[in-house]
Amino acid sequence: MEESWSSKIVNPYVKSWITEFINLATPDNVYVCSGSNEEYDQIASKLVASGSLLPLNPEKKFHSFLARSDARDVARVEKKTFICAVNKEDVGPTNNWEDPEVMRLKLSNLFNGCMKGRTLYVVPFCMANLKSPFALIGIELTDSPYVVCSMKIMTRMGSEVLDELGETNNFIKCHHSVGQPLLNGQKDVQWPCNPEKLVIAHFHDDLSIWSYGSGYGGNALLGKKSVSLRIASYKAKNEGWLAEHMLIIGVTNPEKKKKYFAAAFPSACGKTNLAMLKSTLPGWKVECIGDDIAWLRFGSNGKLYAVNPEYGFFGVAPGTSAKTNPNALKACEKNSIFTNVALTNDGDVWWEGLTECPPANLIDWQGNLWIKEKGLPAAHPNSRFTVPLSQCPVLDPLWDSPEGVPISAIIFGGRRKDTIPLVLESLSWRHGVFMGAGMSSETTSAVEDVDVVIRHDPFAMLPFCGYNMADYFRHWLALPDIGNDVNLPKIFGVNWFRKDNQGKYLWPGFGDNIRVLEWIFNRTEEFSEKSAIRTPVGFVPSRDFFNLSGLQLTNSDFKALFEIKSNEWLDEIHSIKNYFEIFGEHFPPALSKELNRIELELK
Ligand code: O2Y
Ligand code: MN
């Protein structure tokens, strides 16, 4: 066993790390992934044979599969996600903290023998183009073949990564186990996991990640949230760059001028839809670089350049339709893995919102005949499509550029039925950082589907900031000193979800969001003085400079979309002030000053 894997690993650091891990987890076999298409097919075939993957009808979804997870393992678990640093303060009040020594002891017990009866897969991967100055190499040791197939889609994975790593120790050590050893020839289940013992730990000292007990998404595909946000944001703070929960798009105007925007939205605010927007305005075009994560660094000209470190989309299926995101539907016509969606009787997939009427004889996400009258969804609300970025029909030509693209605007969004106008431009960099820090979004509470809860989610990074969030605010405030104030992107806030007094959405959204992007585009040009009105909370569009052509929007709708109501904003400021108090001494005074300025101006 030893010889076959070790002959493929020349790097002495990697070799001794794997050896040590084998001694701990005691897998039956070790397999080093090459990342080839043939290998993917072989592993997928094994998953099909064992019943863990179901091949879809190739005439409907070519070379694609359906996975059904254990019903207890369906999403990221924030409560069990830890950042481990000696000082609790370095982790801050928004993260779960654990002492590294305590956590290491706990993990060594959990991982002890956890891969008995299983194969350990060694998955070398690179986040960002291998030749990029942004590139971060990781190696995930996992006992989940589903994770291997997903990592092949979501990252640049395989032997070239080991070649690039050479003999250096410069890689992120990622350890993952589903936490269900197979003892004495025990038969495997369709989706092994161990939710009771779930833990996902990130260490400041050696930047390693240990994930135990889940096979799902962000818990298990460690290149995504764990490496590219939690670990990368911590590295970025120390090295003078940013790792953000942002999509990246290229926007071209009718004169063929192109600009790039990055936008941060909390989960479930339509980020993937915006990333692949199909414009309703003639001559305007949006092209996609990424839908979830952006790494931003200063170029030698002082501008911020962004790359998407990922190689695929792991998008929420429900709500994706020909109206909301036709490009995502095209992207997942082939070479895709669907997880927890419903199955049609002709071997295709279905989810709520895909079509108005569900097809007959659906099999639900748990593999049972779906009975509509029971009132439960056919697809799990967090069901996913995993597809290669390269299949996106509106992929930007620079999507794989090692240097990245220059960012002209940063957009913060959220889901709010009142208070926040359709679009706002910050008055300064400091005010923009305040806008990011004060972000919040409506979520439906897990208990009562109807209860709306407003969750503060600074920069949409609440679950993903790998260190003290107040220090993260300070890092953002310091960017003008690291780069060049003049060349920094402008900062905007958007809210597609404002409602009228009857509870009806005021804005059509989706393809019409291009109108907001148009205004933002024009505001990043030199000639923009007349196109906005200053308010205490930012610039809002002047009516004559906001494109409403072809829209049935009344004057009162326009007013309601953009109105800044002092009473609502004073409440908002009050809520933000209360929230900021959790950060104690780490909180940057510059943001308190900004808050006080707004409060004074509103009164
Ligand atoms: O539930 C999960 O494991 C996935 S969470 C996720 C996946 C893709 C993009 N964004 C998110 C998120 O929660 O922000
Ligand atoms: Mn996300």
Side-chain angles (χ1 to χ4, degrees):
M1 175 177 84
E2 170 121 354
E3 249 160 45
S4 59
W5 76 263
S6 66
S7 63
K8 291 187 186 154
I9 304 282
V10 285
N11 182 310
Y13 298 104
V14 179
K15 205 174 244 183
S16 66
W17 169 60
I18 297 175
T19 306
E20 201 183 318
F21 186 78
I22 292 172
N23 290 337
L24 174 65
T26 62
D28 282 14
N29 301 295
V30 181
Y31 176 80
V32 180
C33 296
S34 71
S36 71
N37 294 338
E38 296 70 36
E39 173 185 273
Y40 176 92
D41 287 342
Q42 275 165 17
I43 297 175
S45 299
K46 277 194 195 155
L47 283 164
V48 169
S50 69
S52 293
L53 281 185
L54 201 85
L56 294 166
N57 178 348
E59 284 176 17
K60 301 288 176 185
K61 296 283 179 289
F62 181 74
H63 191 233
S64 298
F65 303 94
L66 167 63
R68 296 191 184 113
S69 81
D70 184 296
R72 301 164 301 163
D73 189 21
V74 290
R76 283 189 295 108
V77 183
E78 289 176 19
K79 276 193 297 221
K80 303 288 175 69
T81 302
F82 293 85
I83 308 289
C84 307
V86 176
N87 298 317
K88 192 172 179 184
E89 255 189 63
D90 293 339
V91 156
T94 60
N95 281 308
N96 301 312
W97 171 82
E98 188 50 275
D99 178 88
E101 258 186 53
V102 174
M103 182 56 88
R104 284 206 162 96
L105 185 61
K106 177 175 176 161
L107 289 166
S108 62
N109 287 328
L110 283 174
F111 275 79
N112 190 5
C114 70
M115 293 191 180
K116 273 211 171 75
R118 297 195 181 276
T119 296
L120 161 63
Y121 295 88
V122 178
V123 184
F125 65 94
C126 184
M127 301 316 295
N129 184 311
L130 214 50
K131 298 294 170 203
S132 169
F134 290 83
L136 262 187
I137 288 179
I139 303 179
E140 180 161 347
L141 304 181
T142 180
D143 54 7
S144 163
Y146 165 85
V147 164
V148 177
C149 290
S150 302
M151 287 290 283
K152 156 89 173 151
I153 297 176
M154 293 302 296
T155 70
R156 293 151 176 96
M157 184 262 250
S159 324
E160 319 82 75
V161 177
L162 291 177
D163 297 342
E164 189 67 29
L165 182 64
E167 306 254 312
T168 72
N169 196 11
N170 198 10
F171 65 100
I172 313 273
K173 299 177 178 71
C174 304
H175 317 77
H176 171 251
S177 173
V178 293
Q180 213 183 101
L182 295 170
L183 308 172
N184 312 320
Q186 189 183 336
K187 196 174 159 348
D188 205 357
V189 294
Q190 189 179 299
W191 184 279
C193 60
N194 193 344
E196 282 77 38
K197 294 191 176 164
L198 187 84
V199 57
I200 303 136
H202 307 73
F203 289 85
H204 275 190
D205 51 12
D206 64 355
L207 305 183
S208 68
I209 301 156
W210 293 74
S211 166
Y212 183 91
S214 166
Y216 200 88
N219 301 331
L221 312 179
L222 298 183
K224 193 172 179 59
K225 303 297 190 180
S226 285
V227 168
S228 296
L229 286 176
R230 298 193 189 99
I231 294 295
S233 63
Y234 178 61
K235 269 176 81 65
K237 155 82 175 156
N238 296 330
E239 296 167 5
W241 53 285
L242 294 169
E244 298 299 324
H245 190 203
M246 290 180 179
L247 61 85
I248 310 168
I249 47 176
V251 181
T252 307
N253 74 3
E255 288 73 46
K256 306 274 175 278
K257 185 163 183 179
K258 186 163 194 180
K259 292 177 183 249
Y260 291 95
F261 301 165
F265 290 78
S267 313
C269 285
K271 215 156 126 221
T272 306
N273 297 346
L274 180 62
M276 300 183 197
L277 180 145
K278 191 172 168 201
S279 166
T280 57
L281 287 181
W284 284 87
K285 185 168 76 176
V286 170
E287 287 165 298
C288 177
I289 291 190
D291 77 329
D292 197 38
I293 299 176
W295 287 351
L296 301 112
R297 259 174 216 272
F298 285 106
S300 50
N301 57 3
K303 287 192 175 166
L304 264 187
Y305 283 77
V307 297
N308 169 16
E310 300 194 273
Y311 207 50
F313 302 108
F314 186 61
V316 180
T320 307
S321 72
K323 181 186 167 216
T324 63
N325 196 340
N327 290 318
L329 287 189
K330 284 202 191 98
C332 59
E333 276 170 1
K334 56 184 179 185
N335 307 321
S336 304
I337 300 175
F338 298 88
T339 306
N340 287 347
V341 300
L343 179 70
T344 67
N345 65 359
D346 57 357
D348 202 350
V349 291
W350 190 85
W351 48 75
E352 277 65 23
L354 179 61
T355 55
E356 223 163 275
C357 292
N361 307 319
L362 272 179
I363 304 296
D364 72 15
W365 66 277
Q366 292 185 280
N368 303 313
L369 185 68
W370 182 60
I371 299 167
K372 189 179 175 193
E373 291 65 34
K374 285 192 177 170
L376 295 170
H380 188 278
N382 193 37
S383 54
R384 299 276 166 171
F385 52 81
T386 311
V387 305
L389 221 67
S390 60
Q391 290 181 194
C392 175
V394 289
L395 196 61
D396 191 273
L398 291 182
W399 72 278
D400 199 22
S401 155
E403 296 76 32
V405 293
I407 296 296
S408 302
I410 289 174
I411 305 170
F412 296 127
R415 174 185 288 271
R416 295 291 300 272
K417 68 178 175 11
D418 53 32
T419 316
I420 317 290
L422 179 61
V423 57
L424 260 182
E425 179 187 326
S426 71
L427 302 175
S428 63
W429 181 261
R430 185 172 88 172
H431 177 229
V433 176
F434 173 84
M435 280 165 59
M439 272 172 71
S440 59
S441 198
E442 285 158 11
T443 58
T444 38
S445 93
V447 194
E448 280 290 318
D449 227 22
V450 282
D451 272 5
V452 169
V453 181
I454 294 184
R455 165 167 140 135
H456 286 275
D457 189 352
F459 293 79
M461 283 288 279
L462 188 69
F464 309 121
C465 182
Y467 61 103
N468 190 319
M469 182 70 91
D471 295 337
Y472 168 89
F473 297 159
R474 285 175 184 261
H475 183 45
W476 266 82
L477 287 164
L479 281 197
D481 307 327
I482 302 174
N484 175 340
D485 204 1
V486 185
N487 284 323
L488 278 172
K490 284 191 165 186
I491 299 180
F492 297 82
V494 298
N495 174 26
W496 320 133
F497 304 97
R498 199 157 175 175
K499 291 182 176 172
D500 66 13
N501 293 335
Q502 279 71 52
K504 193 178 121 274
Y505 286 115
L506 285 157
W507 183 244
F510 305 113
D512 281 312
N513 291 337
I514 189 66
R515 297 164 192 275
V516 176
L517 299 182
E518 177 187 10
W519 187 77
I520 291 174
F521 189 109
N522 292 335
R523 289 292 295 173
T524 61
E525 302 275 295
E526 308 294 324
F527 61 80
S528 53
E529 288 88 28
K530 282 185 287 175
S531 57
I533 300 157
R534 188 194 182 282
T535 78
V537 297
F539 294 105
V540 289
S542 315
R543 188 171 170 136
D544 292 346
F545 286 81
F546 192 84
N547 190 344
L548 294 171
S549 62
L551 271 193
Q552 311 292 317
L553 206 74
T554 63
N555 275 343
S556 77
D557 283 348
F558 185 86
K559 188 166 169 268
L561 263 175
F562 290 102
E563 194 172 14
I564 305 297
K565 294 185 183 165
S566 295
N567 61 331
E568 285 182 352
W569 269 97
L570 283 167
D571 288 349
E572 182 77 9
I573 292 296
H574 182 72
S575 154
I576 293 173
K577 197 185 228 169
N578 277 345
Y579 180 66
F580 283 169
E581 271 166 19
I582 65 170
F583 296 108
E585 302 224 317
H586 279 246
F587 192 74
L591 291 188
S592 303
K593 279 194 195 140
E594 197 58 37
L595 189 136
N596 293 337
R597 176 198 63 76
I598 298 172
E599 197 171 23
L600 261 177
E601 282 195 45
L602 282 167
K603 276 181 179 162

